[in-house]
Amino acid sequence: MYTMRHLEIMAELPDHRTLGSAADELRISESALSQAITAIEKLAGETLCLRRKAHGFTLTASGVHFSAMARKIISDVTELAATFPQQEGVLRGPVRFGCFASLSPHLIPSTMQGFDHPQVELSVQVGTHESLLPALRNADLDVAFVYDLGLPPDMEKQEIYETHMQVVLHPEHPLARLERPLELADLVDEPLVMYESDPSTEYVLQLFAAQGLNPKVIAEVPQMILVSAMVGRGLGYGLLMRRPNNAEMSLEGKPLAFRDLHTPVSPTAPSSLSSVVAITPLGVKVPARVQALIEHCREAMADSW
């Protein structure tokens, strides 16, 4: 089995013409270096270095390849040592996080801005449960920020903030003028622009079904900004969770009106109350750099209302 010292020796050789020069850099005697090369060649089963008295040495083709691989391994080990574990309170390494699509414009910018750990490399994936949950299970993601709706039991949850369902309306809609929270019965005959995603669509349908109601869906669209754009033009109403950084206008700059939704409390009916949570696979220890991102997200969201 090769040792790290074997790799260090072979990684150093290409920078020298004589064993004496290489030995000085490695801080060993020339005879000790020659013996080490012989031991490495015995393990490799090949000649890696042609040594000639008074003529220095030459790496064989196999030796050149071995040296290149040794340098890569040493580089990788150095990077690994700098990343795990954290040292002196400095967080290092990659954090791959996911975010539920409709939540992403409100959470991702605030979370990435001000994350004061310059040696942590952030990358982000936007999707729904259909893509985010498998990515967590396959270790393609370290953490995902989602709504606490229909989550499987193999995920750990850390709450980011509490939220509740809201109705988004055109400001001139009669229901927008009501001061009280709206009921599903107020909405059932109105045109609904449905945000289509897993699990949001099923959740909304369950809210109506629990009261024996069937919404009048006129469109199912995959983007919340499209829901807002259609509502801003008076084509219908939308249902969404209350979120920080939420502009009261559509992408086209048309004003929107938001009203809270009230649903009866029932053991068999879903609640209009929920939370945004950070989820990680059950039983997996959350690395310090990932936990730091979760806590920063929680603080950033608290400051964004």
Side-chain angles (χ1 to χ4, degrees):
M1 181 67 68
Y2 301 112
T3 67
M4 282 300 296
R5 187 55 171 167
H6 289 154
L7 300 180
E8 289 170 354
I9 288 170
M10 291 304 298
E12 185 65 35
L13 291 183
D15 293 335
H16 302 271
R17 294 184 177 181
T18 67
L19 289 183
S21 172
D24 289 342
E25 187 67 28
L26 291 164
R27 297 186 178 181
I28 58 177
S29 68
E30 185 173 341
S31 61
L33 175 57
S34 182
Q35 291 171 12
I37 293 172
T38 299
I40 296 168
E41 290 177 325
K42 185 176 180 180
L43 288 170
E46 294 188 38
T47 299
L48 304 176
C49 180
L50 298 177
R51 288 162 277 177
R52 300 184 180 90
K53 289 184 178 181
H55 294 286
F57 72 91
T58 303
L59 290 174
T60 65
S62 294
V64 171
H65 181 65
F66 193 113
S67 296
M69 291 188 66
R71 288 186 169 188
K72 182 179 185 304
I73 292 170
I74 291 171
S75 175
D76 289 344
V77 169
T78 301
E79 182 179 350
L80 187 64
T83 303
F84 305 104
Q86 66 178 90
Q87 299 172 0
E88 301 175 355
V90 177
L91 300 178
R92 302 178 177 89
V95 175
R96 301 158 300 178
F97 73 97
C99 188
F100 193 73
S102 65
L103 180 62
S104 59
H106 310 274
L107 184 144
I108 292 175
S110 296
T111 298
M112 295 188 74
Q113 184 180 37
F115 184 63
D116 191 20
H117 297 282
Q119 296 188 56
V120 174
E121 301 169 9
L122 297 179
S123 60
V124 63
Q125 174 181 326
V126 175
T128 63
H129 285 191
E130 186 177 17
S131 60
L132 297 178
L133 295 179
L136 284 168
R137 294 186 182 111
N138 295 334
D140 293 325
L141 290 176
D142 298 302
V143 63
F145 298 97
V146 300
Y147 291 108
D148 189 6
L149 298 173
L151 292 175
D154 64 340
M155 292 291 156
E156 297 270 12
K157 299 184 290 188
Q158 296 186 51
E159 185 175 282
I160 302 300
Y161 64 83
E162 293 182 346
T163 186
H164 59 268
M165 184 68 78
Q166 285 189 313
V167 185
V168 55
L169 299 152
H170 190 281
E172 296 180 5
H173 194 288
L175 292 176
R177 302 190 184 100
L178 298 180
E179 297 295 328
R180 62 171 175 83
L182 299 181
E183 310 275 349
L184 291 176
D186 298 324
L187 301 167
V188 68
D189 294 325
E190 300 292 331
L192 169 61
V193 182
M194 177 81 81
Y195 172 57
E196 183 182 21
S197 73
D198 175 30
S200 297
T201 305
E202 184 63 25
Y203 171 67
V204 168
L205 294 176
Q206 288 178 359
L207 285 175
F208 280 97
Q211 297 185 39
L213 302 173
N214 188 29
K216 183 181 176 182
V217 179
I218 63 162
E220 298 182 25
V221 300
Q223 295 179 331
M224 188 56 73
I225 57 172
L226 183 52
V227 174
S228 298
M230 294 179 70
V231 172
R233 287 182 173 269
L235 300 174
Y237 72 95
L239 293 170
L240 52 81
M241 289 293 183
R242 180 172 179 261
R243 298 166 293 181
N245 304 311
N246 205 26
E248 295 189 355
M249 62 178 60
S250 72
L251 188 65
E252 299 174 304
K254 296 185 180 297
L256 304 169
F258 293 88
R259 297 293 180 268
D260 289 341
L261 177 69
H262 174 263
T263 57
V265 178
S266 167
T268 60
S271 173
S272 60
L273 303 177
S274 185
S275 298
V276 168
V277 293
I279 58 173
T280 52
L282 185 68
V284 174
K285 183 177 180 180
V286 179
R289 62 188 181 279
V290 176
Q291 188 61 41
L293 182 70
I294 294 171
E295 292 170 2
H296 173 67
C297 176
R298 185 182 293 119
E299 294 171 0
M301 293 298 96
D303 293 339
S304 299
W305 290 102

